[in-house]
């Protein structure tokens, strides 16, 4: 069994699947249900869906779409986007979603993490931490899908989230996201040495080698978007996923 | 007719969709008359043991299921909490289970140094006994997706169909006569879950 999870991250906007660079310029890449059907066939062990417009449009999660995904996905998945209160967490878990992913709201108020963990168990509560370097080159936490740069240090936030009951941290480098140039290994290393819960590295994967680097830097799992969605120099949309044996081989050493 | 019993717990559509993909048809129903006509019942479920039993009692399914299984030889497959409800009792609650399989549902209890989290959540390898029909055409080390804080302890060894290991070896799949159970979620275990349901459908067809 592969102890390291390799997770496709799929971004949702207006019920469609989108992908951008550095959290910007999202373009439509397809239908989410269709993507689920393709990933069902590919021995993917976990999926992540993030609605990138729910929080900024100040609206509820798209429960219809979440329910449709839960009905079609023959794989466990996490959902994030627009979750602001415990009622929504309960509703989403009851729709058949395995993990809720909380970002902006958790950062504003850690009690949501604690309440969600009490309801669903820590294993089902993921805090997503988006980071960006400020003009001094220091890592800072961003919220609202990257629109707001806070003064928070991501390490301090990760430690606080673990204490509050989070079961996992999804760590995304906005500077690397969508660039395919590799993960921010320094950031991964800093966070992983500060907390004991699993860290999912996200943002920048462009090759299998990048996955390996993130794991060697301490991540428990790797997530990627572009790598699974685009193909070739011209970034044609083609959903792919490495063979299981290939991943086994990659992480063996 | 395969009926997925809807007693108010969780999203049952993924089970229905997976069965369809495996080449079968199943209906989701909480209608007693319809359930009474089933040749196979799938008992899903998530959440607490007593809550599940209360719901079954409330909807009048306890007597109906016993009648179907004992009198009519209907096949039943319990999944996750649904499998635990097939047992006599649980440490999680005080209500009697359906009692189709002899044994007790127990809580995972680990020492701190074992560093194992409860619930047991994630993919794990399922080791079937030799020649288990439900697990044929699966590779060694086939993995399935688990989410549970309690595990079953069978009173009779011959009821164990497969085991998994998490701190201890536990029965993750059981069978006694026409009663089957899976602790994991085959409907969330992509191609291995699909093969499981294909085998299940084949078994149903062979026994009709």
């Amino acid at each position: 069994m592969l102890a390291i999870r390799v997770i496709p991250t799929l971004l949702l906007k207006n019920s469609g699947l989108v992908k951008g660079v550095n959290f910007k310029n999202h373009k439509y890449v397809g239908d989410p249900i269709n993507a689920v059907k393709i990933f069902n066939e590919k021995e993917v062990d976990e999926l992540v869906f993030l609605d990138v417009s729910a929080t900024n449009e100040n609206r509820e999660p798209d429960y219809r779409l979440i329910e449709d995904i839960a009905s079609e996905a023959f794989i466990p998945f996490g959902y994030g986007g627009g979750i602001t209160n415990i009622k929504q967490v309960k509703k989403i878990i009851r729709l058949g979603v395995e993990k809720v992913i909380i970002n902006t709201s958790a950062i504003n108020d850690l009690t949501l993490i604690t309440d969600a963990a009490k309801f669903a168990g820590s294993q089902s509560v993921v805090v997503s931490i988006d980071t960006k370097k400020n003009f001094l080159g220091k890592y800072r936490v961003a919220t609202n899908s990257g629109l707001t740069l806070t003064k928070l240090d991501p390490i301090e936030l990760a430690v606080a989230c673990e204490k509050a009951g989070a079961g996992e941290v999804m760590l995304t480098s906005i500077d690397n996201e969508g660039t395919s140039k590799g993960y921010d290994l320094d950031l991964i290393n800093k966070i992983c040495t500060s907390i004991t819960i699993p860290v999912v590295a996200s943002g920048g994967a462009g090759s299998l080698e990048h996955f390996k680097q993130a794991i060697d830097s301490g991540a428990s799992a790797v997530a990627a978007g572009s790598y699974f969605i685009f193909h070739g120099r011209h970034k044609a949309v083609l959903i792919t996923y490495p063979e299981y044996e290939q991943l086994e081989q990659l992480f063996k050493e | 007719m395969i009926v997925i019993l809807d007693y108010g717990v969780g999203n049952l559509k993924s089970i229905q969709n997976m069965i369809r993909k495996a080449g079968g048809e199943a209906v989701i129903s909480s209608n007693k008359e319809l359930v009474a006509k089933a040749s196979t019942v799938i008992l899903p479920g998530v959440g607490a043991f007593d809550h599940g039993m209360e719901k079954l009692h409330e909807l009048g399914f306890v007597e109906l299921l016993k009648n179907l299984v004992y009198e009519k030889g209907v096949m039943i497959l319990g999944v996750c909490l649904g499998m635990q409800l097939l047992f006599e009792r649980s440490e999680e609650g005080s209500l009697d289970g359906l009692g189709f399989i002899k044994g007790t549902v127990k809580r995972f209890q680990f020492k701190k140094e074992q560093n194992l989290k409860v619930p047991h959540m994630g993919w794990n390898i399922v080791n079937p006994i030799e020649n288990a029909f439900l697990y044929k055409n699966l590779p060694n080390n086939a993995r399935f997706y688990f989410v549970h804080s309690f595990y079953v302890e069978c009173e009779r060894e011959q009821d164990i169909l497969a085991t998994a290991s998490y701190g201890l070896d536990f029965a993750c799949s059981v069978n006694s006569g026409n009663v089957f159970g899976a602790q994991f979620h085959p409907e969330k275990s992509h191609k291995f879950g699909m093969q499981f349901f294909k085998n299940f459908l084949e078994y149903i067809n062979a026994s009709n």
Side-chain angles (χ1 to χ4, degrees):
Chain A
M1 197 177 50
L2 200 62
I4 294 153
R5 291 167 291 150
V6 178
I7 308 168
T9 305
L10 303 171
L11 307 181
L12 302 168
K13 195 174 185 176
N14 305 325
S15 304
L17 212 61
V18 297
K19 185 66 195 140
V21 176
N22 304 130
F23 279 31
K24 289 183 203 134
N25 302 324
H26 291 116
K27 68 168 192 174
Y28 179 80
V29 292
D31 170 60
I33 300 297
N34 189 42
V36 166
K37 288 181 175 164
I38 294 171
F39 282 120
N40 275 338
E41 305 293 327
K42 294 190 181 289
E43 245 186 283
V44 176
D45 285 352
E46 192 169 329
L47 284 177
V48 160
F49 282 92
L50 300 174
D51 188 327
V52 294
S53 59
T55 294
N56 293 332
E57 286 170 7
N58 205 7
R59 63 168 167 79
E60 293 269 311
D62 184 346
Y63 299 112
R64 257 274 316 253
L65 179 61
I66 296 169
E67 191 176 10
D68 285 348
I69 294 169
S71 304
E72 292 295 337
F74 304 140
I75 353 168
F77 74 98
Y79 168 84
I83 302 175
T84 59
N85 61 57
I86 186 69
K87 244 176 91 182
Q88 295 168 327
V89 169
K90 290 183 180 176
K91 196 165 174 180
I92 289 165
I93 294 281
R94 287 194 183 118
L95 289 176
V97 178
E98 280 72 23
K99 294 180 181 180
V100 288
I101 303 167
I102 309 175
N103 173 259
T104 306
S105 296
I107 288 153
N108 293 334
D109 179 10
L110 291 170
T111 54
L112 180 59
I113 302 174
T114 310
D115 292 347
K118 254 183 217 154
F119 173 73
S122 282
Q123 274 77 353
S124 293
V125 182
V126 182
V127 176
S128 147
I129 300 180
D130 297 333
T131 65
K132 207 174 167 161
K133 280 186 181 163
N134 68 8
F135 64 96
L136 292 171
K138 287 216 163 74
Y139 291 113
R140 290 293 175 252
V141 174
T143 61
N144 298 78
S145 298
L147 287 182
T148 313
L149 193 62
T150 70
K151 290 183 174 147
L152 284 168
D153 173 6
I155 299 175
E156 282 170 33
L157 178 65
V159 170
C161 287
E162 178 174 29
K163 230 184 221 163
E168 193 165 287
V169 167
M170 181 165 179
L171 179 68
T172 305
S173 157
I174 296 177
D175 301 315
N176 293 33
E177 198 263 347
T179 64
S180 303
K181 66 180 187 191
Y183 294 100
D184 186 332
L185 302 175
D186 175 41
L187 173 70
I188 294 166
N189 186 263
K190 282 195 163 92
I191 301 286
C192 292
T193 48
S194 311
I195 56 176
T196 60
I197 53 176
V199 171
V200 184
S202 159
S207 70
L208 288 175
E209 189 48 38
H210 292 153
F211 293 160
K212 178 95 169 85
Q213 289 167 356
I215 298 304
D216 290 343
S217 301
S220 301
V222 287
S226 306
Y227 182 67
F228 300 127
I229 291 172
F230 295 126
H231 189 70
R233 268 196 308 149
H234 301 291
K235 288 199 154 192
V237 176
L238 177 73
I239 292 182
T240 58
Y241 193 79
E243 293 285 328
Y244 192 76
E245 289 72 26
Q246 212 179 345
L247 292 174
E248 254 180 341
Q249 194 60 35
L250 177 72
F251 297 125
K252 216 166 73 181
E253 294 95 43
Chain B
M1 180 180 52
I2 304 173
V3 176
I4 302 166
L5 197 67
D6 179 6
Y7 59 111
V9 286
N11 182 343
L12 313 179
K13 279 192 204 147
S14 56
I15 297 185
Q16 187 183 37
N17 287 336
M18 185 64 119
I19 289 175
R20 187 172 299 148
K21 224 161 173 272
E25 271 307 322
V27 292
I28 297 172
S29 180
S30 55
N31 180 318
K32 271 177 82 173
E33 281 152 41
L34 191 87
V35 177
K37 289 185 208 150
S39 58
T40 302
V41 175
I42 294 180
L43 183 64
V46 289
F49 189 89
D50 274 4
H51 179 73
M53 284 312 297
E54 271 164 24
K55 283 281 180 195
L56 287 179
H57 277 292
E58 231 174 82
L59 296 163
F61 282 135
V62 175
E63 287 316 306
L64 177 60
L65 286 176
K66 285 185 180 173
N67 180 270
L68 288 174
V69 167
Y70 290 133
E71 307 297 328
K72 295 190 172 161
V74 162
M75 194 157 134
I76 183 167
L77 170 68
V79 173
C80 197
L81 174 70
M83 161 165 139
Q84 297 182 355
L85 298 179
L86 304 174
F87 283 73
E88 295 169 297
R89 64 195 85 81
S90 172
E91 286 182 359
E92 191 185 13
S94 53
L95 293 178
D96 283 342
L98 292 164
F100 295 141
I101 297 183
K102 285 193 181 308
T104 304
V105 183
K106 301 195 135 188
R107 179 188 286 277
F108 278 125
Q109 277 177 322
F110 301 123
K111 294 193 186 90
K112 213 174 166 200
E113 59 267 27
Q114 280 177 287
N115 206 10
L116 291 170
K117 289 192 175 136
V118 178
H120 167 220
M121 178 166 167
W123 292 81
N124 204 344
I125 290 168
V126 164
N127 304 299
I129 58 164
E130 250 177 81
N131 301 321
F133 194 89
L134 272 187
Y135 295 89
K136 68 172 197 168
N137 297 330
L138 281 163
N140 283 338
N141 297 334
R143 59 193 190 280
F144 289 84
Y145 184 72
F146 288 81
V147 190
H148 61 128
S149 303
F150 292 79
Y151 65 97
V152 300
E153 198 173 80
C154 290
E155 212 171 283
R156 305 186 309 174
E157 206 189 323
Q158 68 261 38
D159 293 344
I160 300 172
L161 200 55
T163 60
S165 189
Y166 191 67
L168 75 167
D169 288 341
F170 65 94
C172 67
S173 186
V174 294
N175 169 227
S176 172
N178 45 340
V179 178
F180 293 82
Q183 178 62 67
F184 49 83
H185 289 274
E187 78 281 10
K188 287 282 167 182
S189 304
H190 53 66
K191 71 172 196 185
F192 304 115
M194 169 93 65
Q195 185 60 47
F196 176 93
F197 276 116
K198 275 187 182 161
N199 296 339
F200 184 66
L201 290 170
E202 197 181 318
Y203 188 88
I204 293 171
N205 290 334
S207 21
N208 280 344

